[in-house]
């Protein structure tokens, strides 16, 4: 099955700076890569996703890039704000149709 | 459109008991997936139901089971509870569970086994 690795496990950034989270996956047949944000005590919330037919997608301050050759994808958050503090999970859907998650990155934005 | 709902939100059970959790998907969504979230193991896939049939299954023991009804609502059951089953159980719904379908999560059921 699919194996997703996510780095770093924790990330502390100054408000206004950028944050980057990187993930790698193992199943070369994977073609859908969502990112979820989970605030403390809340449900994972889909914030952006990318499909394998594109290399980059942006939505306001967040962007995701995908490199299918290297089997890695990244989340970029620009101009970070305190409300960006949360745990972020990357995920991939492999040939088995299962959503496999990375271990999560705890992002703390310092005011 | 109402989001995914789960009941109950919190449960405390004793080892050896069984528990049933419920999930109502977003209206029109026919696929429901279940996940277990723990600090140690992260988010792990339990199973997925579509049109009342289990279509996919993760690596969990047979004590974990589920079903889906004709209105797409789903239940999962855990029998003979163990301390290690303490976790947040999340369900997620999507249109048809296709490989590129977006999945939306419910608020989860926090299960504590004592």
């Amino acid at each position: 099955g699919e194996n997703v690795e996510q780095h770093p496990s924790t990330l502390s950034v100054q408000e206004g700076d950028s944050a980057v989270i990187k993930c790698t996956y193992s199943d070369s047949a994977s073609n859908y890569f969502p990112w979820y944000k989970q605030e403390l005590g809340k449900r994972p919330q889909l914030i952006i996703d990318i499909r394998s037919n594109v290399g980059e997608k942006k939505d306001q301050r967040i962007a995701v890039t995908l490199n299918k050759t290297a089997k890695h994808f990244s989340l970029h958050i620009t101009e970070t704000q305190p409300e960006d503090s949360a745990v972020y999970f990357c995920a991939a859907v492999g040939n088995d149709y299962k959503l496999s998650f990375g271990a999560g990155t705890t992002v703390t934005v310092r005011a | 459109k109402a989001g995914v709902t789960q009941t109950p939100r919190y449960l405390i059970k004793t080892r050896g008991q069984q528990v049933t959790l419920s999930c109502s998907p977003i209206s029109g969504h026919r696929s429901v997936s279940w996940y277990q979230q723990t600090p140690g193991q992260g988010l792990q896939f339990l199973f997925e139901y579509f049109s009342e049939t289990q279509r996919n299954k993760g690596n969990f023991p047979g004590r974990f089971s589920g079903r889906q009804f004709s209105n797409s609502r789903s239940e999962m059951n855990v029998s003979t509870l163990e301390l290690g089953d303490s976790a947040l159980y999340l369900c997620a719904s999507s249109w048809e569970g296709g490989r590129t379908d977006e999945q939306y999560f419910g608020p989860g059921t926090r299960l504590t086994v004592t």
Side-chain angles (χ1 to χ4, degrees), chain A residues 29 36 38 43 51 96 98, chain B residues 37 56-57 99-100 103:
Chain A
Y36 288 87
Q38 188 174 28
R43 74 187 76 191
R51 291 167 175 82
D96 57 7
K98 297 175 187 176
Chain B
Q37 186 174 29
N56 220 335
K57 192 176 186 324
R99 285 183 66 193
T100 60
Q103 291 193 30

Side-chain angles (χ1 to χ4, degrees), chain A residues 27-87:
Chain A
D27 186 349
S28 57
S30 292
N31 63 352
Y32 177 60
F33 307 90
W35 286 85
Y36 288 87
K37 173 185 179 183
Q38 188 174 28
E39 296 174 70
L40 194 62
K42 297 195 174 179
R43 74 187 76 191
Q45 180 187 2
L46 178 66
I47 56 171
I48 195 167
D49 56 15
I50 191 166
R51 291 167 175 82
S52 60
N53 56 340
V54 298
E56 183 175 357
K57 183 177 177 181
K58 289 179 87 169
D59 183 3
Q60 299 184 328
R61 295 187 297 107
I62 60 173
V64 57
T65 59
L66 171 65
N67 183 327
K68 285 220 76 179
T69 304
K71 289 193 281 187
H72 66 71
F73 56 114
S74 302
L75 178 73
H76 303 251
I77 307 173
T78 59
E79 299 172 22
T80 52
Q81 300 169 5
E83 53 263 38
D84 294 329
S85 294
V87 180

Side-chain angles (χ1 to χ4, degrees), chain A residues 32 34-38 42-49 51 57 59 91 93 99 101, chain B residues 1-6 23-35 43 48 72 89-98 100-108:
Chain A
Y32 177 60
W35 286 85
Y36 288 87
K37 173 185 179 183
Q38 188 174 28
K42 297 195 174 179
R43 74 187 76 191
Q45 180 187 2
L46 178 66
I47 56 171
I48 195 167
D49 56 15
R51 291 167 175 82
K57 183 177 177 181
D59 183 3
V93 178
L99 193 58
F101 287 87
Chain B
K1 224 182 232 189
V4 180
T5 58
Q6 291 185 246
C23 172
S24 292
I26 291 171
S27 178
H29 284 191
R30 296 165 63 194
S31 169
V32 174
S33 297
W34 289 88
Y35 298 86
L43 275 156
E48 184 239 352
S72 295
Y89 290 89
L90 293 157
C91 74
S93 76
S94 66
W95 282 112
E96 295 189 339
T100 60
D101 282 3
E102 297 162 1
Q103 291 193 30
Y104 297 94
F105 281 87

Side-chain angles (χ1 to χ4, degrees), chain B residues 33-102:
Chain B
S33 297
W34 289 88
Y35 298 86
Q36 182 194 65
Q37 186 174 29
T38 59
Q41 299 296 318
L43 275 156
Q44 293 193 294
F45 173 80
L46 279 155
F47 29 64
E48 184 239 352
Y49 285 87
F50 178 78
S51 289
E52 302 177 64
T53 301
Q54 186 182 87
R55 208 166 50 169
N56 220 335
K57 192 176 186 324
N59 298 320
F60 280 81
R63 300 185 297 106
F64 292 81
S65 63
R67 59 178 175 167
Q68 187 180 36
F69 302 94
S70 58
N71 61 357
S72 295
R73 188 178 70 87
S74 178
E75 289 182 347
M76 69 164 279
N77 185 77
V78 188
S79 62
T80 320
L81 284 165
E82 301 176 359
L83 294 178
D85 296 333
S86 294
L88 180 66
Y89 290 89
L90 293 157
C91 74
S93 76
S94 66
W95 282 112
E96 295 189 339
R99 285 183 66 193
T100 60
D101 282 3
E102 297 162 1

